[in-house]
Amino acid sequence: MKTIKILGTGCAKCKQTEAVIRETLEEIGISANVEKIEDIEQIMAYDVMSTPTVVLDEKVMIRGKVPSKDEIKALFV
């Protein structure tokens, strides 16, 4: 099973990112473990300077913006 981590401090964009990811996964019928990481030290461990950041299976894929559904779908093709 894939693991998706959403890195962010809990701002509106971070919450929106989580919602878009969950909606998209449901639409395309993919099960994934979705985690929200808000601890600043854990976020810094990924060497990112902007949030929200989307990490798929420990690889930073999207950073600094709310992804579109198409961008999320592209991660699973």
Side-chain angles (χ1 to χ4, degrees):
M1 179 179 286
K2 299 281 187 186
T3 298
I4 299 173
K5 294 181 181 176
I6 302 156
L7 311 181
T9 57
C11 67
K13 287 184 179 183
C14 298
K15 291 176 184 176
Q16 188 178 359
T17 297
E18 182 177 12
V20 168
I21 288 172
R22 290 187 186 278
E23 286 175 23
T24 304
L25 291 175
E26 189 172 322
E27 284 178 15
I28 62 177
I30 291 181
S31 294
N33 192 20
V34 180
E35 299 176 32
K36 182 75 172 65
I37 308 293
E38 295 184 356
D39 180 72
I40 196 72
E41 288 185 20
Q42 289 180 339
I43 292 170
M44 289 172 49
Y46 287 92
D47 197 29
V48 294
M49 298 300 289
S50 57
T51 59
T53 295
V54 177
V55 178
L56 176 63
D57 292 336
E58 295 304 313
K59 183 177 179 190
V60 174
M61 304 299 285
I62 299 168
R63 66 178 85 201
K65 66 177 186 166
V66 177
S68 69
K69 287 185 176 184
D70 287 338
E71 288 174 306
I72 298 302
K73 288 176 185 176
L75 298 177
F76 293 96
V77 176

